[in-house]
Amino acid sequence: MTTIFWICIFLVFYTYIGYGIVLFLAVRMKRLVCHKEVGMPDDGNTPDVTMMICAYNEEEIVEAKMANTHALDYPKDKLHILWVTDGSDDSTNKLLAEHDDVTIAFTPERKGKTAALKHGIKEVKTDIVVMTDANTMLNKEAIRVIVEKMRDPKVGCVAGEKRVMARNDGQAAAEGEGMYWKYESFLKRLDSELHSAMGAAGELCAIRTKLFEDMPDDTLLDDFILSMRIVERGYTIAYASDAYAMEYGSADIREESKRKRRIAAGGLQSCWRLRRLMNPLRHTLVAFQFVSHRVLRWTITPFALIALVPLNVWLVLTNAGAVYTVIWILQTAFYLSALAGYILEAKGHKNKLLYVPYYFLFMNVNMFSGIAYLAKKHNGTWEKARRG
């Protein structure tokens, strides 16, 4: 029991804090040992790029997205705009048809984003395709930053940074999601500097078109699996913090739960479908990064977190030592803080100090909901979470 308890402690600490520390030290060591990498020379070529936007019933955001796209700092004759409208039955197609510079790839049946990507990629004629969501707005320089990263032939995918905004001050779900993505961005920057980022988010990512690989239509995290398949083929994912996508967070914690549940289910699905990347004999550094950053938090660690409670109680009751009493007091304080954060959020108030443990537990609880979601048969579509 004592051994299992300390293994659980290690797993929880390493997954959420320890890997960040190890990664930071490894990158610092690399900087000391290796000469600073010089960026690839600019050959003066401005390549044609396709921006592919997959959408389902996005009539409310079409004009804002098009205005944002037209404001991008990239030659208009080099940026090709492709909207893939998956089963849209509102005014999305009609509004898009009013823009002469838009190509529309429409399928009347809604099959999900993975099917939409496979349909849309057939319309892409450029060597680079930038994928983004309809409800995310890009910074002006995003495409230029991505193209610069792509000048390195080792880079097969570029992951942009996701930034979450709260529409109103004190909007708990959005601010919680924002805190999570700030830490994720920190890890992605270090992962990329060490070797490769571990996956790209669909809000903004780019790939070499020739590296696109078909996925089953029931794929839940299409962006993640697509980008990691590219890593499996020997390329790297470059992280570009200067190319970012902004979107509003979920309207409330219930809407956020829909996203977390799907992401949790998709994470489990991804671990199985990308299992070859966990082989250290074939992908030594990637296996270390993938397991540490992704696999543990999607599989073992949530169970370790839950197991700590009964294990700690047993060790206290059997007088195993004062250290276990201290840890039990700390655990109790943590869970009481999370409960207080939940009560305040339910009443429309938020204390940042109390919200951190609450959101942490919220994410892990949704991991178990994700298991139940994955157990059901699905076709790759899902109910969209309402944004704030």
Side-chain angles (χ1 to χ4, degrees):
M1 284 290 189
T2 304
T3 302
I4 295 172
F5 177 78
W6 285 109
I7 290 173
C8 290
I9 285 274
F10 171 78
L11 283 171
V12 173
F13 177 80
Y14 179 75
T15 300
Y16 298 110
I17 299 174
Y19 176 60
I21 296 172
V22 171
L23 193 57
F24 176 79
L25 294 175
V27 168
R28 290 295 294 269
M29 186 67 69
K30 181 181 178 181
R31 290 174 186 170
L32 290 173
V33 174
C34 303
H35 294 294
K36 186 176 180 181
E37 293 185 7
V38 179
M40 300 298 292
D42 187 344
D43 57 8
N45 177 42
T46 304
D48 284 63
V49 173
T50 296
M51 176 178 286
M52 183 162 64
I53 306 160
C54 293
Y56 167 69
N57 286 354
E58 296 286 2
E59 61 182 5
E60 294 180 359
I61 203 72
V62 164
E63 294 306 324
K65 181 66 174 180
M66 287 304 303
N68 176 252
T69 302
H70 288 147
L72 294 172
D73 180 20
Y74 204 77
K76 301 297 180 268
D77 60 328
K78 297 284 187 178
L79 183 61
H80 308 271
I81 307 168
L82 170 65
W83 281 72
V84 186
T85 57
D86 173 50
S88 293
D89 54 11
D90 63 353
S91 301
T92 298
N93 291 328
K94 182 180 178 181
L95 292 169
L96 289 172
E98 296 175 4
H99 295 272
D100 296 335
D101 57 346
V102 171
T103 299
I104 305 171
F106 172 64
T107 50
E109 183 184 354
R110 188 186 181 200
K111 295 183 178 179
K113 189 177 178 182
T114 302
L117 285 173
K118 291 194 292 185
H119 179 216
I121 203 73
K122 296 174 184 176
E123 303 295 325
V124 176
K125 305 296 190 292
T126 59
D127 292 335
I128 298 173
V129 55
V130 178
M131 293 169 282
T132 180
D133 290 341
N135 65 333
T136 58
M137 303 299 157
L138 312 185
N139 64 309
K140 250 179 85 170
E141 303 79 17
I143 307 299
R144 287 194 180 276
V145 171
I146 287 170
V147 168
E148 285 304 308
K149 293 285 186 182
M150 282 289 192
R151 294 192 190 282
D152 185 344
K154 295 182 296 183
V155 173
C157 172
V158 178
E161 184 167 294
K162 176 179 176 177
R163 299 184 182 181
V164 178
M165 304 175 293
R167 195 179 297 272
N168 303 308
D169 186 40
Q171 191 175 352
E175 293 187 15
E177 188 183 353
M179 287 189 295
Y180 167 78
W181 275 104
K182 284 177 183 177
Y183 183 59
E184 264 300 296
S185 298
F186 168 75
L187 292 180
K188 283 186 175 184
R189 280 195 296 271
L190 293 179
D191 269 331
S192 180
E193 189 172 347
L194 182 63
H195 176 62
S196 171
M198 288 295 102
E203 284 79 8
L204 177 59
C205 71
I207 66 168
R208 299 187 188 278
T209 308
K210 66 180 181 180
L211 298 179
F212 183 89
E213 187 174 318
D214 277 356
M215 299 166 284
D217 286 351
D218 67 348
T219 302
L220 295 171
L221 296 185
D222 46 85
D223 43 10
F224 181 75
I225 287 187
L226 174 61
S227 58
M228 291 302 287
R229 290 287 190 210
I230 291 172
V231 173
E232 191 174 1
R233 293 165 69 175
Y235 292 87
T236 63
I237 302 171
Y239 186 68
S241 58
D242 292 333
Y244 53 87
M246 298 167 287
E247 68 175 350
Y248 288 111
S250 300
D252 54 46
I253 207 70
R254 293 160 195 81
E255 295 296 315
E256 177 68 357
S257 183
K258 295 177 186 176
R259 293 184 63 260
K260 291 300 183 198
R261 185 167 60 248
R262 179 180 62 82
I263 291 171
L268 289 166
Q269 184 188 69
S270 300
C271 288
W272 175 249
R273 294 184 179 179
L274 297 170
R275 59 191 180 278
R276 286 178 295 186
L277 281 174
M278 300 181 214
N279 184 351
L281 299 179
R282 295 185 62 184
H283 309 279
T284 307
L285 190 52
V286 170
F288 162 69
Q289 291 181 284
F290 181 42
V291 171
S292 298
H293 190 163
R294 299 295 188 181
V295 176
L296 289 178
R297 70 168 66 172
W298 282 338
T299 56
I300 304 171
T301 302
F303 291 94
L305 181 67
I306 296 298
L308 280 174
V309 175
L311 286 170
N312 203 172
V313 170
W314 187 86
L315 290 168
V316 169
L317 293 177
T318 55
N319 296 315
V323 65
Y324 301 104
T325 302
V326 172
I327 294 173
W328 175 243
I329 292 170
L330 292 174
Q331 278 209 80
T332 303
F334 176 82
Y335 284 104
L336 288 175
S337 297
L339 177 61
Y342 166 74
I343 293 171
L344 286 175
E345 192 276 333
K347 292 182 177 180
H349 306 293
K350 186 174 78 71
N351 179 291
K352 289 186 178 181
L353 185 63
L354 297 176
Y355 194 74
V356 170
Y358 166 52
Y359 195 80
F360 175 79
L361 288 179
F362 165 78
M363 288 194 302
N364 279 281
V365 166
N366 276 284
M367 281 301 307
F368 295 97
S369 300
I371 295 173
Y373 179 88
L374 190 61
K376 299 177 182 178
K377 290 185 178 180
H378 50 80
N379 59 4
T381 63
W382 61 85
E383 182 186 355
K384 292 193 298 183
R386 184 167 49 87
R387 293 289 174 175

